Amino acid sequence: MDQYIVSARKYRPTTFESVVGQSALTQTLRNAIRQNHLAHAYLFCGPRGVGKTTCARIFAKTINCLNPTADHDACNQCESCMAFNEQRSFNIHELDAASNNSVEDIRTLIQEVRIPPQIGKYSVYIIDEVHMLSQGAFNALLKTLEEPPSYAIFILATTEKHKVLPTILSRCQVYDFSRITIADTIHHLQYVAKQEGITASEDALNVIAQKADGGMRDALSIFDQLVAFCGNTITYEQVLEVLNVLDSDYYFKVVDAALQTNAYAELLLLNEVLQRGFDAGNFVTGLAQHLRDVLVSKDAATIQLLETSDAIRKHYAEQAAHCSAPWLFRALDIMNTCDIQYRTAKNKRLTVELALIQLSQIAAPQVVAQPAPQPAPEPVAPQPAPQPVQPAAKSAPQPAPKIPTLPKMPTIPSVNIAAQQPAATPSTPPTEAPQKQEENRPFTLDQFVDAWAGLTHIFKDEPRLLAVLAEYRPELVDEQHCVLTLANPWQQQEFKKFGKQVMNHIRAVLHNDSLQLSLQVAKYDTSHRAYTPEEKYKEFVKQNAEVANLKSMLNLQIE
């Protein structure tokens, strides 16, 4: 029985062309070899499993090849290439800085650098996880790294570039490896599956690629795990079961139910998700991501931002056709607010259920308010017809009681203009008029507090304003007026810079344009207070005359 080799090692790239998802970096390294412009030190940095160490080995093997090909790739036939393939090359040295991070380890490495290569042109030193070196080890490496022998080349690899000393960075050519895209990961997994004789659906490989989060090594490890469970046929349902991933169909069903204003269906779907053992917080995060994917699928220019397979991309495009952009904006805002509140909520399930109910209520006013414009012209048409003909003076007081019903609409002229412009399409006025009528909605104190708390995420780049928002909260006088009391005029002046933006956000969240905010500075007692020892002594004497007698008897001094 042959020894089993995991796919991450078995299908590890051996040439620059076989490296997945790093075409720009591999082309740069090949051009450097072709032009013989080799630096003495390189730094490969990026997420895990994207090919840093692999590219370092391929680079070291290629520059030591005795008979390179016309494309300047390794020939795999010379003594140097064969020694590298058999892992017995003395020209390529690998050091794991995670376990060899002391000054003594680096000093040993510096002693080895003095020995020239026996076969090939260069001695290549690959230091993996270089950010784990100690401060002393970095300092010991500095001089050799800056002026190594002509035959020595250092390749440093790290996942945390910010932990490497700036003095080390300045001595290296830095190559930033990017996350491998989902499309590239799926393509490579299809190649591996074909080589192994395994049948895997594209939807299943898409879930693996998303779970790997840009790392090819993680993707191949998950692939091996699924092969052990599923055998030679990997299905979408089996992948969801093994990886404990929630089926994306649930998100599609939730959005469809919200578009149909069916809150009960949404609550039943949430209950089914919870009964399957999934966390409600992950459901909220996943639904918010799903709404974002639907939003980017509405336009051909932004659908490329959706990293998934072609089949799932078509499904998103179909649902995006049924969702309007304003609806998606409001839905994203609701789910983002729910995600923020979920972390501190005591009844977490109720928080999620309220968010789902709010999703179903976004489109509700459009359905309920459609017949509202029809009865409005009916009383106006019959009443003015008989009355203005004979008693013109008496008709004046009759319309008076009808006027209070009109101010429910924010602006009368805007409604008339909106109704006149789309005269050719009678379906548009009913949809626009209800939005005007529902613009100023009543709100509760809790909704007002939540809207104020959401400002900390809107103005997260303004530290001075954040300090004011976190420490103070306005007092709600009535539904149209709130008062914010600050400690000093400086805070008042700082808040005024963003006052208009703050109120625009509050009004948009509460759907109430009539809300106004007043600023005031707190008044403090400015009476004289005792600060010096002499003043404190006098205050004590006023409260108790025996203090003066005690002072004279003991001959005490005030200091």
Side-chain angles (χ1 to χ4, degrees), residues 425-554:
T425 57
S427 60
T428 52
T431 57
E432 294 184 358
Q435 294 179 358
K436 297 291 183 178
Q437 293 176 356
E438 295 292 332
E439 190 168 354
N440 291 333
R441 300 180 185 175
F443 56 88
T444 63
L445 178 60
D446 292 338
Q447 292 174 338
F448 178 77
V449 172
D450 293 340
W452 184 265
L455 293 172
T456 57
H457 302 276
I458 302 298
F459 300 97
K460 60 183 178 181
D461 297 330
E462 302 293 341
R464 295 183 178 180
L465 179 61
L466 281 179
V468 176
L469 296 175
E471 187 174 358
Y472 303 98
R473 192 183 73 189
E475 179 182 357
L476 190 61
V477 179
D478 52 41
E479 293 185 356
Q480 297 182 353
H481 188 208
C482 57
V483 179
L484 178 62
T485 304
L486 302 175
N488 51 63
W490 177 87
Q491 291 180 342
Q492 184 181 23
Q493 182 180 1
E494 188 66 26
F495 187 85
K496 284 183 178 180
K497 298 178 182 178
F498 305 92
K500 186 175 181 181
Q501 302 177 27
V502 168
M503 289 310 300
N504 287 341
H505 174 76
I506 295 292
R507 291 164 182 162
V509 173
L510 299 178
H511 296 279
N512 195 311
D513 293 338
S514 62
L515 183 62
Q516 301 296 329
L517 175 67
S518 300
L519 299 179
Q520 65 180 17
V521 179
K523 296 181 180 180
Y524 298 96
D525 184 13
T526 57
S527 60
H528 179 70
R529 298 181 180 179
Y531 294 107
T532 65
E534 185 68 27
E535 292 175 343
K536 293 178 181 178
Y537 170 71
K538 292 180 180 180
E539 291 292 333
F540 289 146
V541 173
K542 289 180 181 180
Q543 298 177 10
N544 191 347
E546 295 297 329
V547 175
N549 297 332
L550 180 64
K551 175 178 178 298
S552 61
M553 290 174 57
L554 299 178

Side-chain angles (χ1 to χ4, degrees), residues 48 51 62-63 65 134 140 175 198 201 211 265 276 295 310 327-328 341 363 374 384 393 401 435 454 468 529 558:
R48 68 184 187 278
T62 304
I63 62 178
C65 180
S134 63
Y175 288 76
I198 297 173
S201 64
K211 192 74 173 179
R276 292 188 56 187
L295 179 61
D310 293 336
W327 189 94
L328 290 171
Q341 296 175 348
Q374 298 177 358
Q435 294 179 358
V468 176
R529 298 181 180 179
I558 299 176

Side-chain angles (χ1 to χ4, degrees), residues 276-396:
R276 292 188 56 187
F278 292 99
D279 182 63
N282 294 335
F283 172 79
V284 172
T285 305
L287 182 56
Q289 178 65 30
H290 176 81
L291 290 170
R292 175 262 180 193
D293 293 340
V294 174
L295 179 61
V296 300
S297 301
K298 286 191 66 65
D299 195 305
T302 58
I303 196 173
Q304 58 184 346
L305 300 177
L306 188 61
E307 294 186 350
T308 184
S309 62
D310 293 336
I312 298 180
R313 187 178 286 110
K314 292 179 180 178
H315 198 177
Y316 274 104
E318 292 175 358
Q319 188 170 77
H322 300 285
C323 301
S324 63
W327 189 94
L328 290 171
F329 295 151
R330 178 62 181 152
L332 281 170
D333 182 62
I334 291 174
M335 298 312 302
N336 184 55
T337 304
C338 178
D339 188 23
I340 297 171
Q341 296 175 348
Y342 183 85
R343 304 165 192 172
T344 57
K346 294 183 179 180
N347 193 340
K348 299 184 181 297
R349 175 166 181 169
L350 179 61
T351 302
V352 180
E353 289 177 341
L354 288 176
L356 295 179
I357 293 173
Q358 291 177 1
L359 286 182
S360 64
Q361 295 300 314
I362 298 177
Q366 298 179 358
V367 179
V368 176
Q370 280 183 1
Q374 298 177 358
E378 291 178 1
V380 176
Q383 292 179 5
Q387 295 177 1
V389 175
Q390 296 177 355
K394 295 181 180 180
S395 61

Side-chain angles (χ1 to χ4, degrees), residues 254-263 265 327 360 363:
V254 168
V255 174
D256 290 339
L259 292 174
Q260 299 171 5
T261 66
N262 191 346
W327 189 94
S360 64

